[in-house]
């Protein structure tokens, strides 16, 4: 009988399914996962409209030239061509720019970089459009390009605003302080491209009122709308930006050189116009990470405690300013890293050259200095005869310490805990010297290396990034939550770029209102602005707005019940779709309490204000900071210089884990992007010309290059000023992993490794 009973019990339990994940802290899958895996997700390149025309953009083959004439006659006369536009056809503001508006829609008098737009064509076939663009005759007077940022200080002005974009002289502490031990270094960081999975694409559709609708994979739709309206000479309400499927964004997709020609052509022809960039056009058109030259001098006492850091940081902004001022502020402020430095004297410059424009890429400014200051910490450890992890532990900052900018670190800063976690994590086993394990050698399964030439190295990186905008940026987002018939709808112009905002918004509403079915409305500029999708701001600012709106709806829902039972709403709770009181007297469902009503609320979230850095580089410039520690294990063939990253152990302070699966994916993606910056990614621009603008010449890391990524610790010490207490997670692994990999290569080879990406000759050891 007992066996039968057991069998029956099992049979009854079998049909029960595990409850679907819901609410904050659950690994809720993204709503668009199935569409993306099945290939039905509508990306910008998939757009179509009746009467569609195709666009192509003519770009300069020279990095620096004076434009003597532009003749569009032959292009206009080609069969199938409907319109050709140049600078003469821009009715409004002729310049654009994210941070500073200094970049022309079309070059008119001078070409300042390879790939700068000069004209755009609309035709009835994409091949016709490209041939017509090539038929535009431009007469140039080729000029010598300025491609060395150090020469930009003495060169003739490349722009009416001059060559110097910004200079920050940071002064903190005693300039006369010296240490018993001094180490110096010169470092160079290459030009990393965001290399989006999907190249830029978009559709412009003219409106009957004389305006235009732009369908774009935009991460800042309201910013794009405002720029477009100014260029088109229209009111903002005459331009609408509709966000289509964004095929990932590892930068801010600052590709307005694609968007504005589209709109101009649609307005001129009165027809929908589509542009789908080739990979070469993508490389030529969008911005890249700032190449950087860094000089460092670290002073320390005999115990390895830092006394003073001196540094010079030079950012190559390329032809236009863009967001270089913001990148420089981050580089200067974080030039000493997450270490206590009583005296710091940093000179930072961002200058114009005739190189391709630089812009926002994850961890801009912070990544470049991290590679340099961590190299300095390795040099300091070697000179003092200390373990590299130990010298770092003796200097790490904590909550309450002061940045070189004079700002007190008030957020959680568990840097020592992070470093100890990766240091103490077990090391991976050594490879076996047998033929069947040749795949473990640097160079891959068919690598030419010999096992006897392989050296293993272990290195460390500690990184930090700021969250949200800085230096007085007005960070604000608006969200509306509406509930009817048991379904919740979220309206927020925060673009889903792969960072998981749409999933987070659903989780917030589920947690707050106990409603399972939550829909996030597609984004367009008819909604209130939410700002750009970068620096983790949508988790904080837009997520905070959704939370506040959901809580306002919650109050509307609970107030009638609280009034009926003579209690406050604080005594009622919503769990798993049920409303209960603290004493058990009240128990009902959310659906019953709604009783067919429609409830809605709109709320804003605006973090506490910041301030610009002053003339001495001082000021409370940042809202919050996140930290990361990475230990890298590498195998280096010291004869060939090939490097294989065996393992990256990661510890990060995340504030609070809101979605474990999504968080792990973001960290792994960030680490892999940093791997590319460390070993393979360098957009080469000899004399200002982009060489091999394709994914053959530009080597992205593949799945075969990705090492084992071990997330060994996530510190959940909530940041009290952030909604949910969470911190952004994507950028800081990008910042930290290149420094850790370079540190490990130094440990394996004994070579200085002062350039990223690491070139093979830098890892070759002679005389062995």
């Amino acid at each position: 009988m007992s066996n039968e009973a057991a069998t029956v019990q099992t049979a009854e339990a079998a049909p029960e399914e595990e409850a679907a994940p819901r609410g904050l802290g659950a690994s809720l899958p993204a709503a668009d996962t199935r569409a993306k895996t099945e290939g039905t997700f509508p990306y910008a390149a998939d757009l179509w409209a009746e009467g569609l025309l195709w666009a192509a953009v003519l770009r300069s083959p020279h990095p620096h030239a004076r434009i003597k004439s532009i003749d569009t006659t032959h292009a206009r006369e080609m069969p199938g061509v409907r319109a050709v536009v140049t600078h003469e056809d821009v009715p409004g503001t002729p310049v654009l720019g994210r941070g500073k508006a200094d970049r022309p829609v079309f070059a008119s008098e001078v070409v300042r970089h390879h790939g700068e737009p000069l004209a755009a064509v609309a035709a009835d076939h994409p091949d016709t459009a490209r041939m017509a663009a090539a038929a535009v005759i431009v007469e140039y007077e080729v000029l010598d390009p300025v491609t060395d940022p150090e020469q930009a200080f003495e060169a003739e002005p490349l722009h009416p605003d001059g060559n110097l974009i910004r200079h920050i002289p940071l002064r903190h502490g005693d300039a006369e302080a010296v240490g018993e031990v001094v180490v110096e270094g010169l470092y160079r960081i290459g030009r990393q491209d965001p290399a989006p999975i999907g190249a830029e694409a978009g559709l412009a559709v003219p409106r009957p009122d004389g305006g235009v609708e732009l369908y774009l994979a935009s991460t800042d739709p309201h910013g794009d709308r405002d720029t477009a309206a100014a260029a088109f000479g229209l009111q903002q309400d005459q331009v609408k930006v509709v966000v289509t499927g964004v095929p990932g964004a590892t930068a801010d997709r600052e590709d307005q050189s694609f968007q504005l020609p589209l709109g101009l052509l649609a307005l001129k022809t009165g027809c929908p116009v589509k542009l789908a960039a080739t990979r070469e056009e993508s490389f030529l058109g969008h911005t890249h990470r700032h190449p950087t030259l860094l000089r460092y001098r670290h002073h320390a006492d005999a115990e390895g405690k830092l006394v003073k850091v001196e540094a010079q940081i030079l950012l190559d902004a390329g032809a236009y300013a863009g967001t270089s001022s913001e990148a420089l502020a981050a580089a200067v402020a974080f030039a000493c890293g997450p270490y206590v430095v009583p005296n710091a004297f940093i000179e930072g410059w961002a200058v114009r050259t005739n190189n391709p424009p630089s812009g926002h890429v994850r961890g801009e400014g912070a990544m470049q200095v991290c590679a340099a200051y961590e190299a300095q910490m390795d040099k300091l450890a070697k000179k003092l005869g200390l373990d590299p992890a130990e010298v770092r532990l003796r200097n790490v900052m904590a909550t309450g310490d002061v940045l070189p900018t004079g700002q007190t670190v008030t957020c959680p800063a568990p840097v020592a805990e992070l470093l100890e976690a990766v240091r103490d994590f077990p090391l991976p086993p050594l490879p076996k010297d047998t033929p069947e394990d040749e795949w473990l050698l640097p160079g891959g399964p068919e690598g030419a290396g010999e096992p006897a030439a392989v050296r293993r190295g272990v290195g460390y990186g500690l990184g930090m990034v700021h969250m949200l905008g800085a230096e007085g940026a007005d960070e604000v987002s608006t969200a509306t939550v509406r509930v009817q018939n048991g379904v919740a709808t979220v309206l927020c112009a925060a673009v889903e770029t792969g960072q998981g905002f749409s999933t987070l918004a659903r989780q917030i509403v589920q947690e707050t209102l106990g409603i399972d079915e939550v829909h996030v409305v597609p984004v367009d500029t008819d909604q209130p602005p939410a700002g750009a999708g970068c620096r983790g701001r949508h988790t904080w600012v837009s997520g905070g707005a959704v939370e506040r709106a959901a809580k306002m709806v919650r109050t509307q829902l609970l107030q009638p019940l609280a009034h009926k039972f003579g209690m406050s709403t604080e005594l009622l709770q919503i769990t798993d779709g049920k409303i209960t009181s603290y004493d058990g007297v009240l128990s009902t469902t959310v659906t019953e309490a709604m009783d067919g009503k429609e409830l809605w609320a709109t709320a804003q979230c605006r973090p506490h204000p910041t301030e610009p850095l002053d003339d001495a580089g001082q000021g409370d410039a940042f809202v919050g900071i996140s930290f990361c520690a990475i230990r890298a294990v590498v195998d280096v063939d010291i004869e060939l210089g090939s490097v294989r990253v065996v393992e990256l152990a990661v510890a990060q302070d995340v504030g609070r884990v809101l979605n474990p699966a999504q968080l792990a994916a973001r960290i792994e993606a960030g680490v892999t992007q940093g791997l590319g910056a460390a070993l393979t990614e360098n957009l080469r621009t000899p004399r200002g010309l982009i060489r091999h603008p394709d994914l053959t010449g530009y080597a992205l890391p593949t799945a075969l290059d990705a090492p084992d990524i071990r997330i060994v610790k996530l510190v959940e010490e909530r940041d009290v000023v952030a909604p949910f207490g969470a911190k952004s997670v994507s950028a800081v692994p990008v910042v930290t992993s290149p420094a850790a990999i370079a540190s490990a290569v130094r440990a394996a080879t004994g070579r200085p490794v002062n350039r990223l990406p690491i070139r093979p000759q830098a890892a070759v050891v002679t005389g062995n």
Side-chain angles (χ1 to χ4, degrees), residues 180-184 187 298-308 373-388 391-392 395:
E180 298 173 67
V181 180
V182 178
V183 294
E184 299 183 3
Y187 307 95
H298 276 53
H299 298 251
D301 64 20
E303 302 300 317
K305 293 293 291 292
L306 291 172
V307 174
K308 184 170 70 173
Y373 66 66
E374 286 298 81
Q376 288 289 101
M377 296 304 285
D378 282 344
K379 286 186 176 182
L380 190 60
K382 185 176 182 179
K383 195 162 187 177
L384 290 167
L386 292 173
D387 179 79
V391 77
R392 288 168 168 83
N395 290 284

mmCIF file of all heavy atoms in Angstrom, residues 180-184 187 298-308 373-388 391-392 395:
data_model
loop_
_atom_site.group_PDB
_atom_site.id
_atom_site.type_symbol
_atom_site.label_atom_id
_atom_site.label_comp_id
_atom_site.label_asym_id
_atom_site.label_seq_id
_atom_site.Cartn_x
_atom_site.Cartn_y
_atom_site.Cartn_z
ATOM 1 N N GLU A 180 60.063 57.192 -2.262
ATOM 2 C CA GLU A 180 61.364 56.527 -2.251
ATOM 3 C C GLU A 180 61.572 55.689 -3.504
ATOM 4 O O GLU A 180 62.711 55.433 -3.907
ATOM 5 C CB GLU A 180 61.477 55.639 -1.001
ATOM 6 C CG GLU A 180 61.388 56.396 0.311
ATOM 7 C CD GLU A 180 61.336 55.460 1.499
ATOM 8 O OE1 GLU A 180 62.339 54.771 1.759
ATOM 9 O OE2 GLU A 180 60.268 55.397 2.154
ATOM 10 N N VAL A 181 60.480 55.237 -4.098
ATOM 11 C CA VAL A 181 60.543 54.415 -5.299
ATOM 12 C C VAL A 181 59.748 55.113 -6.403
ATOM 13 O O VAL A 181 58.626 55.567 -6.166
ATOM 14 C CB VAL A 181 59.974 53.002 -5.049
ATOM 15 C CG1 VAL A 181 60.041 52.166 -6.314
ATOM 16 C CG2 VAL A 181 60.698 52.327 -3.901
ATOM 17 N N VAL A 182 60.338 55.213 -7.590
ATOM 18 C CA VAL A 182 59.684 55.888 -8.706
ATOM 19 C C VAL A 182 59.729 54.970 -9.926
ATOM 20 O O VAL A 182 60.781 54.404 -10.246
ATOM 21 C CB VAL A 182 60.365 57.232 -9.034
ATOM 22 C CG1 VAL A 182 59.683 57.891 -10.236
ATOM 23 C CG2 VAL A 182 60.327 58.163 -7.833
ATOM 24 N N VAL A 183 58.588 54.822 -10.599
ATOM 25 C CA VAL A 183 58.532 54.068 -11.858
ATOM 26 C C VAL A 183 57.846 54.929 -12.906
ATOM 27 O O VAL A 183 56.937 55.709 -12.601
ATOM 28 C CB VAL A 183 57.791 52.715 -11.700
ATOM 29 C CG1 VAL A 183 58.565 51.781 -10.799
ATOM 30 C CG2 VAL A 183 56.379 52.923 -11.172
ATOM 31 N N GLU A 184 58.287 54.791 -14.151
ATOM 32 C CA GLU A 184 57.757 55.591 -15.243
ATOM 33 C C GLU A 184 57.365 54.701 -16.407
ATOM 34 O O GLU A 184 57.849 53.571 -16.535
ATOM 35 C CB GLU A 184 58.793 56.618 -15.716
ATOM 36 C CG GLU A 184 59.217 57.606 -14.647
ATOM 37 C CD GLU A 184 60.181 58.652 -15.188
ATOM 38 O OE1 GLU A 184 60.456 58.620 -16.415
ATOM 39 O OE2 GLU A 184 60.660 59.483 -14.401
ATOM 40 N N TYR A 187 52.726 54.779 -22.731
ATOM 41 C CA TYR A 187 51.745 53.786 -23.178
ATOM 42 C C TYR A 187 50.929 54.331 -24.349
ATOM 43 O O TYR A 187 50.628 55.532 -24.418
ATOM 44 C CB TYR A 187 50.815 53.396 -22.023
ATOM 45 C CG TYR A 187 51.589 52.963 -20.801
ATOM 46 C CD1 TYR A 187 51.881 53.868 -19.776
ATOM 47 C CD2 TYR A 187 52.073 51.669 -20.686
ATOM 48 C CE1 TYR A 187 52.618 53.480 -18.667
ATOM 49 C CE2 TYR A 187 52.812 51.268 -19.585
ATOM 50 C CZ TYR A 187 53.086 52.176 -18.580
ATOM 51 O OH TYR A 187 53.833 51.793 -17.490
ATOM 52 N N HIS A 298 54.867 57.128 -11.229
ATOM 53 C CA HIS A 298 54.317 56.780 -9.918
ATOM 54 C C HIS A 298 55.407 56.882 -8.852
ATOM 55 O O HIS A 298 56.519 56.384 -9.042
ATOM 56 C CB HIS A 298 53.780 55.339 -9.923
ATOM 57 C CG HIS A 298 52.380 55.210 -10.450
ATOM 58 N ND1 HIS A 298 51.992 55.704 -11.672
ATOM 59 C CD2 HIS A 298 51.263 54.631 -9.914
ATOM 60 C CE1 HIS A 298 50.699 55.426 -11.874
ATOM 61 N NE2 HIS A 298 50.236 54.788 -10.821
ATOM 62 N N HIS A 299 55.054 57.532 -7.754
ATOM 63 C CA HIS A 299 55.925 57.593 -6.582
ATOM 64 C C HIS A 299 55.314 56.727 -5.487
ATOM 65 O O HIS A 299 54.102 56.779 -5.245
ATOM 66 C CB HIS A 299 56.030 59.024 -6.045
ATOM 67 C CG HIS A 299 56.628 60.004 -7.006
ATOM 68 N ND1 HIS A 299 57.877 60.549 -6.827
ATOM 69 C CD2 HIS A 299 56.151 60.550 -8.157
ATOM 70 C CE1 HIS A 299 58.141 61.387 -7.814
ATOM 71 N NE2 HIS A 299 57.103 61.416 -8.635
ATOM 72 N N ALA A 300 56.151 55.957 -4.779
ATOM 73 C CA ALA A 300 55.672 55.132 -3.664
ATOM 74 C C ALA A 300 56.731 55.104 -2.573
ATOM 75 O O ALA A 300 57.920 55.397 -2.814
ATOM 76 C CB ALA A 300 55.359 53.719 -4.136
ATOM 77 N N ASP A 301 56.303 54.745 -1.350
ATOM 78 C CA ASP A 301 57.280 54.579 -0.279
ATOM 79 C C ASP A 301 57.860 53.166 -0.335
ATOM 80 O O ASP A 301 57.514 52.361 -1.210
ATOM 81 C CB ASP A 301 56.663 54.898 1.087
ATOM 82 C CG ASP A 301 55.526 53.946 1.474
ATOM 83 O OD1 ASP A 301 55.452 52.828 0.908
ATOM 84 O OD2 ASP A 301 54.724 54.305 2.354
ATOM 85 N N ALA A 302 58.732 52.848 0.605
ATOM 86 C CA ALA A 302 59.431 51.562 0.583
ATOM 87 C C ALA A 302 58.493 50.386 0.803
ATOM 88 O O ALA A 302 58.833 49.246 0.474
ATOM 89 C CB ALA A 302 60.535 51.554 1.644
ATOM 90 N N GLU A 303 57.298 50.631 1.343
ATOM 91 C CA GLU A 303 56.318 49.573 1.578
ATOM 92 C C GLU A 303 55.349 49.405 0.412
ATOM 93 O O GLU A 303 54.453 48.559 0.468
ATOM 94 C CB GLU A 303 55.527 49.873 2.858
ATOM 95 C CG GLU A 303 56.384 50.007 4.105
ATOM 96 C CD GLU A 303 57.160 48.731 4.372
ATOM 97 O OE1 GLU A 303 56.565 47.643 4.244
ATOM 98 O OE2 GLU A 303 58.352 48.822 4.699
ATOM 99 N N GLY A 304 55.514 50.240 -0.603
ATOM 100 C CA GLY A 304 54.635 50.124 -1.757
ATOM 101 C C GLY A 304 53.397 50.992 -1.693
ATOM 102 O O GLY A 304 52.542 50.899 -2.587
ATOM 103 N N LYS A 305 53.277 51.846 -0.686
ATOM 104 C CA LYS A 305 52.118 52.749 -0.612
ATOM 105 C C LYS A 305 52.349 53.933 -1.546
ATOM 106 O O LYS A 305 53.411 54.567 -1.535
ATOM 107 C CB LYS A 305 51.916 53.251 0.824
ATOM 108 C CG LYS A 305 51.514 52.184 1.818
ATOM 109 C CD LYS A 305 50.114 51.645 1.519
ATOM 110 C CE LYS A 305 49.028 52.671 1.780
ATOM 111 N NZ LYS A 305 48.852 53.020 3.186
ATOM 112 N N LEU A 306 51.344 54.230 -2.342
ATOM 113 C CA LEU A 306 51.456 55.321 -3.302
ATOM 114 C C LEU A 306 51.566 56.667 -2.599
ATOM 115 O O LEU A 306 50.839 56.954 -1.639
ATOM 116 C CB LEU A 306 50.253 55.319 -4.240
ATOM 117 C CG LEU A 306 50.167 54.143 -5.223
ATOM 118 C CD1 LEU A 306 48.844 54.153 -5.965
ATOM 119 C CD2 LEU A 306 51.329 54.170 -6.207
ATOM 120 N N VAL A 307 52.478 57.493 -3.096
ATOM 121 C CA VAL A 307 52.685 58.842 -2.564
ATOM 122 C C VAL A 307 52.177 59.884 -3.547
ATOM 123 O O VAL A 307 51.498 60.838 -3.174
ATOM 124 C CB VAL A 307 54.181 59.085 -2.264
ATOM 125 C CG1 VAL A 307 54.423 60.535 -1.857
ATOM 126 C CG2 VAL A 307 54.679 58.128 -1.205
ATOM 127 N N LYS A 308 52.495 59.699 -4.820
ATOM 128 C CA LYS A 308 52.087 60.673 -5.833
ATOM 129 C C LYS A 308 52.006 59.992 -7.193
ATOM 130 O O LYS A 308 52.790 59.096 -7.497
ATOM 131 C CB LYS A 308 53.065 61.845 -5.882
ATOM 132 C CG LYS A 308 52.654 62.953 -6.856
ATOM 133 C CD LYS A 308 53.503 64.214 -6.718
ATOM 134 C CE LYS A 308 54.916 64.023 -7.210
ATOM 135 N NZ LYS A 308 55.671 65.304 -7.225
ATOM 136 N N TYR A 373 47.697 52.726 -15.780
ATOM 137 C CA TYR A 373 47.997 52.719 -14.341
ATOM 138 C C TYR A 373 48.200 51.304 -13.807
ATOM 139 O O TYR A 373 48.969 51.094 -12.861
ATOM 140 C CB TYR A 373 46.962 53.497 -13.523
ATOM 141 C CG TYR A 373 45.543 52.970 -13.464
ATOM 142 C CD1 TYR A 373 45.212 51.765 -12.852
ATOM 143 C CD2 TYR A 373 44.496 53.742 -13.969
ATOM 144 C CE1 TYR A 373 43.902 51.315 -12.784
ATOM 145 C CE2 TYR A 373 43.179 53.308 -13.906
ATOM 146 C CZ TYR A 373 42.891 52.094 -13.318
ATOM 147 O OH TYR A 373 41.583 51.659 -13.238
ATOM 148 N N GLU A 374 47.572 50.305 -14.437
ATOM 149 C CA GLU A 374 47.818 48.936 -13.996
ATOM 150 C C GLU A 374 49.204 48.456 -14.433
ATOM 151 O O GLU A 374 49.856 47.675 -13.725
ATOM 152 C CB GLU A 374 46.735 48.005 -14.532
ATOM 153 C CG GLU A 374 45.393 48.159 -13.817
ATOM 154 C CD GLU A 374 45.486 47.817 -12.339
ATOM 155 O OE1 GLU A 374 45.934 48.683 -11.552
ATOM 156 O OE2 GLU A 374 45.130 46.696 -11.956
ATOM 157 N N ALA A 375 49.675 48.915 -15.587
ATOM 158 C CA ALA A 375 51.053 48.619 -15.975
ATOM 159 C C ALA A 375 52.025 49.236 -14.979
ATOM 160 O O ALA A 375 53.049 48.625 -14.625
ATOM 161 C CB ALA A 375 51.318 49.148 -17.382
ATOM 162 N N GLN A 376 51.705 50.425 -14.508
ATOM 163 C CA GLN A 376 52.550 51.084 -13.512
ATOM 164 C C GLN A 376 52.567 50.301 -12.193
ATOM 165 O O GLN A 376 53.617 50.181 -11.542
ATOM 166 C CB GLN A 376 52.046 52.504 -13.269
ATOM 167 C CG GLN A 376 52.307 53.471 -14.407
ATOM 168 C CD GLN A 376 53.771 53.832 -14.533
ATOM 169 O OE1 GLN A 376 54.474 53.301 -15.377
ATOM 170 N NE2 GLN A 376 54.249 54.712 -13.661
ATOM 171 N N MET A 377 51.426 49.752 -11.810
ATOM 172 C CA MET A 377 51.380 48.963 -10.569
ATOM 173 C C MET A 377 52.217 47.694 -10.709
ATOM 174 O O MET A 377 52.870 47.252 -9.752
ATOM 175 C CB MET A 377 49.935 48.624 -10.219
ATOM 176 C CG MET A 377 49.052 49.832 -9.912
ATOM 177 S SD MET A 377 49.672 50.888 -8.588
ATOM 178 C CE MET A 377 49.297 49.894 -7.142
ATOM 179 N N ASP A 378 52.225 47.095 -11.900
ATOM 180 C CA ASP A 378 53.091 45.934 -12.135
ATOM 181 C C ASP A 378 54.563 46.321 -12.032
ATOM 182 O O ASP A 378 55.382 45.591 -11.457
ATOM 183 C CB ASP A 378 52.802 45.332 -13.510
ATOM 184 C CG ASP A 378 51.534 44.492 -13.536
ATOM 185 O OD1 ASP A 378 51.043 44.125 -12.452
ATOM 186 O OD2 ASP A 378 51.033 44.205 -14.635
ATOM 187 N N LYS A 379 54.915 47.469 -12.606
ATOM 188 C CA LYS A 379 56.303 47.928 -12.516
ATOM 189 C C LYS A 379 56.697 48.193 -11.065
ATOM 190 O O LYS A 379 57.822 47.873 -10.642
ATOM 191 C CB LYS A 379 56.485 49.207 -13.341
ATOM 192 C CG LYS A 379 56.492 48.992 -14.842
ATOM 193 C CD LYS A 379 56.816 50.289 -15.563
ATOM 194 C CE LYS A 379 56.915 50.065 -17.065
ATOM 195 N NZ LYS A 379 57.286 51.290 -17.799
ATOM 196 N N LEU A 380 55.777 48.781 -10.320
ATOM 197 C CA LEU A 380 56.054 49.074 -8.913
ATOM 198 C C LEU A 380 56.265 47.782 -8.127
ATOM 199 O O LEU A 380 57.195 47.669 -7.308
ATOM 200 C CB LEU A 380 54.891 49.881 -8.332
ATOM 201 C CG LEU A 380 55.072 50.488 -6.945
ATOM 202 C CD1 LEU A 380 56.247 51.445 -6.918
ATOM 203 C CD2 LEU A 380 53.790 51.211 -6.530
ATOM 204 N N ALA A 381 55.417 46.780 -8.383
ATOM 205 C CA ALA A 381 55.562 45.491 -7.698
ATOM 206 C C ALA A 381 56.905 44.853 -8.020
ATOM 207 O O ALA A 381 57.591 44.323 -7.132
ATOM 208 C CB ALA A 381 54.418 44.566 -8.092
ATOM 209 N N LYS A 382 57.300 44.896 -9.281
ATOM 210 C CA LYS A 382 58.571 44.293 -9.700
ATOM 211 C C LYS A 382 59.754 44.993 -9.045
ATOM 212 O O LYS A 382 60.700 44.346 -8.572
ATOM 213 C CB LYS A 382 58.681 44.345 -11.218
ATOM 214 C CG LYS A 382 59.907 43.639 -11.775
ATOM 215 C CD LYS A 382 59.883 43.653 -13.298
ATOM 216 C CE LYS A 382 61.091 42.909 -13.870
ATOM 217 N NZ LYS A 382 61.052 42.890 -15.361
ATOM 218 N N LYS A 383 59.703 46.315 -8.987
ATOM 219 C CA LYS A 383 60.818 47.075 -8.416
ATOM 220 C C LYS A 383 60.938 46.852 -6.918
ATOM 221 O O LYS A 383 62.047 46.849 -6.366
ATOM 222 C CB LYS A 383 60.642 48.552 -8.720
ATOM 223 C CG LYS A 383 61.905 49.381 -8.496
ATOM 224 C CD LYS A 383 61.825 50.711 -9.195
ATOM 225 C CE LYS A 383 63.156 51.453 -9.103
ATOM 226 N NZ LYS A 383 63.131 52.740 -9.854
ATOM 227 N N LEU A 384 59.805 46.648 -6.243
ATOM 228 C CA LEU A 384 59.811 46.433 -4.794
ATOM 229 C C LEU A 384 59.938 44.964 -4.420
ATOM 230 O O LEU A 384 60.061 44.638 -3.235
ATOM 231 C CB LEU A 384 58.522 47.002 -4.187
ATOM 232 C CG LEU A 384 58.392 48.526 -4.174
ATOM 233 C CD1 LEU A 384 56.966 48.934 -3.850
ATOM 234 C CD2 LEU A 384 59.363 49.136 -3.169
ATOM 235 N N GLY A 385 59.855 44.062 -5.410
ATOM 236 C CA GLY A 385 59.902 42.641 -5.109
ATOM 237 C C GLY A 385 58.659 42.133 -4.420
ATOM 238 O O GLY A 385 58.708 41.173 -3.640
ATOM 239 N N LEU A 386 57.505 42.751 -4.730
ATOM 240 C CA LEU A 386 56.238 42.371 -4.109
ATOM 241 C C LEU A 386 55.364 41.623 -5.113
ATOM 242 O O LEU A 386 55.514 41.775 -6.334
ATOM 243 C CB LEU A 386 55.480 43.615 -3.620
ATOM 244 C CG LEU A 386 56.085 44.393 -2.459
ATOM 245 C CD1 LEU A 386 55.300 45.683 -2.236
ATOM 246 C CD2 LEU A 386 56.086 43.550 -1.192
ATOM 247 N N ASP A 387 54.455 40.823 -4.593
ATOM 248 C CA ASP A 387 53.459 40.181 -5.436
ATOM 249 C C ASP A 387 52.557 41.261 -6.038
ATOM 250 O O ASP A 387 52.159 42.201 -5.341
ATOM 251 C CB ASP A 387 52.627 39.201 -4.601
ATOM 252 C CG ASP A 387 51.556 38.534 -5.433
ATOM 253 O OD1 ASP A 387 51.874 37.592 -6.162
ATOM 254 O OD2 ASP A 387 50.390 38.981 -5.346
ATOM 255 N N PRO A 388 52.225 41.171 -7.343
ATOM 256 C CA PRO A 388 51.393 42.208 -7.970
ATOM 257 C C PRO A 388 50.050 42.416 -7.289
ATOM 258 O O PRO A 388 49.555 43.545 -7.233
ATOM 259 C CB PRO A 388 51.210 41.688 -9.399
ATOM 260 C CG PRO A 388 52.404 40.831 -9.642
ATOM 261 C CD PRO A 388 52.699 40.182 -8.322
ATOM 262 N N VAL A 391 50.739 44.466 -3.863
ATOM 263 C CA VAL A 391 50.971 45.906 -3.970
ATOM 264 C C VAL A 391 49.666 46.637 -4.266
ATOM 265 O O VAL A 391 49.465 47.781 -3.836
ATOM 266 C CB VAL A 391 52.041 46.208 -5.043
ATOM 267 C CG1 VAL A 391 51.484 46.095 -6.454
ATOM 268 C CG2 VAL A 391 52.649 47.583 -4.821
ATOM 269 N N ARG A 392 48.769 45.987 -4.969
ATOM 270 C CA ARG A 392 47.464 46.601 -5.212
ATOM 271 C C ARG A 392 46.640 46.662 -3.933
ATOM 272 O O ARG A 392 45.992 47.672 -3.639
ATOM 273 C CB ARG A 392 46.724 45.820 -6.311
ATOM 274 C CG ARG A 392 47.303 46.024 -7.719
ATOM 275 C CD ARG A 392 46.751 45.017 -8.722
ATOM 276 N NE ARG A 392 47.058 45.351 -10.103
ATOM 277 C CZ ARG A 392 48.194 45.078 -10.717
ATOM 278 N NH1 ARG A 392 49.163 44.441 -10.045
ATOM 279 N NH2 ARG A 392 48.376 45.411 -11.974
ATOM 280 N N ASN A 395 46.986 49.527 -1.576
ATOM 281 C CA ASN A 395 46.619 50.874 -2.024
ATOM 282 C C ASN A 395 45.152 51.048 -2.396
ATOM 283 O O ASN A 395 44.740 52.166 -2.725
ATOM 284 C CB ASN A 395 47.474 51.237 -3.244
ATOM 285 C CG ASN A 395 48.926 51.448 -2.888
ATOM 286 O OD1 ASN A 395 49.309 52.479 -2.336
ATOM 287 N ND2 ASN A 395 49.761 50.446 -3.180
#
